[in-house]
Amino acid sequence: VKGGQSYDASTLASKICQVYPELRQAFRDNANEYGEFLPEEFFTKHANALIVDTIKKNDPQTMKKLFNILNEIYDDGSSEVQDIIAVTILGELNNDTELLATCVDYMNDSMAPVVIAVNKYLASPGGKKARKKMLNPPPYKPNKEKKKGFMASLMEQQSNLQQ
């Protein structure tokens, strides 16, 4: 990450595709279908199953590769990316203490307490209600272009006339 920039959700997905090359087409399809990359849709429908399966198998080589990516992007990522890692991806562990214990060995010190807290919350009654909401989100609406104010429209018309 160069000079003050941070990782975004698309970079996270791209790096996850390095661990799971079979996800590349789903990654491309997601962006093409919606006109922009929708990380929640990509991870919940495609990547999470592979990630949780990797954690269950606890293959040290794949775990190290996966968590090197997650740790790096968590530390240098935007808050959106941190949320995706802690809630959308690792929240899928469903507060399974054995799986969490396996992951803690690979997580860095900044990510581990957050992931544990998120899993505890998602196992609580309030978290279960939040999960239901995540499973039935409101329909996708693309971003609308911002309307220009009256004065901005007049200024734009005037500049067009002068050219």
Side-chain angles (χ1 to χ4, degrees):
V1 179
K2 296 180 183 173
Q5 294 178 332
S6 64
Y7 289 115
D8 63 1
S10 182
T11 305
L12 170 62
S14 177
K15 289 201 174 257
I16 291 294
C17 287
Q18 291 172 1
V19 179
Y20 308 103
E22 61 270 31
L23 291 173
R24 284 193 179 114
Q25 189 59 47
F27 177 51
R28 281 188 224 114
D29 291 347
N30 178 288
N32 290 336
E33 182 178 345
Y34 299 107
E36 64 180 299
F37 177 64
L38 297 182
E40 299 286 338
E41 198 269 351
F42 171 75
F43 284 103
T44 56
K45 289 189 178 176
H46 304 286
N48 283 356
L50 295 172
I51 293 169
V52 171
D53 189 51
T54 295
I55 293 167
K56 286 179 180 177
K57 289 179 181 173
N58 196 16
D59 171 47
Q61 185 178 358
T62 311
M63 289 286 284
K64 188 173 183 178
K65 195 174 182 182
L66 173 65
F67 278 93
N68 281 344
I69 291 169
L70 294 177
N71 287 326
E72 177 187 353
I73 293 183
Y74 186 86
D75 285 342
D76 295 329
S78 65
S79 59
E80 176 195 19
V81 172
Q82 291 175 340
D83 291 345
I84 290 167
I85 292 170
V87 179
T88 305
I89 299 173
L90 297 175
E92 284 297 307
L93 299 178
N94 294 318
N95 206 28
D96 183 318
T97 53
E98 288 180 31
L99 293 180
L100 282 168
T102 300
C103 292
V104 168
D105 294 339
Y106 295 94
M107 284 189 262
N108 64 24
D109 293 339
S110 60
M111 186 169 56
V114 175
V115 170
I116 291 167
V118 164
N119 271 271
K120 284 182 182 178
Y121 169 72
L122 290 174
S124 73
K128 288 177 184 173
K129 187 176 179 181
R131 263 191 203 277
K132 271 188 181 178
K133 212 175 221 182
M134 285 183 355
L135 293 174
N136 298 308
Y140 170 73
K141 294 180 186 175
N143 292 337
K144 294 181 181 178
E145 290 185 32
K146 291 185 178 180
K147 293 183 180 179
K148 295 180 183 171
F150 176 72
M151 290 303 288
S153 296
L154 287 177
M155 298 288 281
E156 185 177 318
Q157 288 174 359
Q158 184 177 8
S159 77
N160 288 340
L161 290 174
Q162 291 175 353
Q163 293 175 353

